[in-house]
Amino acid sequence: MDELIKQVKTLGSELSDRVPVNGFNLKTFFANVVVTAGAKKGRLLDLGEKKSVVINSAHPMAKKLTDGKPGRAEVLVSAIISLVNRAEEKLTDEHQHELHRHLLMSMVN
């Protein structure tokens, strides 16, 4: 899990720099990714205090994401972008689409 979190923080930070969102700091969310052992039937991701993202390590998907296969960090970055988009008004759907486009382009290049 530690390696996955490291990759997510790096990818998210780089993506935040490449696709600036006026008046909104997406980079903060990627800098504040934390892991907690929640309920197995709880959510995989949630927003925590002070613009943090909480990963539930007890969730069944958490084990799959940490299997070391290529693309796992990108999947988690994409999920975090979507989570933040739903919660933060300043991160619009257009921003989300552009972030996802850059993320996908980085995966195929």
Side-chain angles (χ1 to χ4, degrees):
M1 181 64 78
D2 291 339
E3 182 59 32
L4 176 66
I5 300 305
K6 181 180 172 183
Q7 291 174 8
V8 165
K9 287 182 174 185
T10 300
L11 282 170
S13 177
E14 290 171 357
L15 191 60
S16 299
D17 287 341
R18 273 191 248 135
V19 184
V21 178
N22 295 336
F24 183 74
N25 189 358
L26 180 61
K27 200 174 200 175
T28 303
F29 287 92
F30 286 106
N32 297 314
V33 175
V34 295
V35 179
T36 186
K40 283 188 177 184
K41 292 191 177 187
R43 294 180 180 181
L44 172 64
L45 295 174
D46 214 339
L47 293 177
E49 296 178 13
K50 299 181 182 178
K51 298 190 177 194
S52 66
V53 175
V54 180
I55 299 174
N56 176 2
S57 63
H59 191 280
M61 184 59 77
K63 185 175 182 178
K64 288 183 181 185
L65 288 169
T66 59
D67 66 8
K69 291 184 179 177
R72 299 300 197 213
E74 288 84 356
V75 167
L76 196 49
V77 167
S78 177
I80 289 170
I81 291 168
S82 297
L83 176 71
V84 174
N85 173 252
R86 285 191 303 274
E88 297 288 336
E89 188 175 295
K90 289 184 179 180
L91 184 67
T92 66
D93 289 346
E94 290 78 23
H95 293 126
Q96 178 180 344
H97 294 300
E98 187 66 14
L99 288 159
H100 282 135
R101 188 179 74 72
H102 277 274
L103 183 61
L104 288 171
M105 292 304 293
S106 72
M107 291 175 71
V108 296
N109 288 333

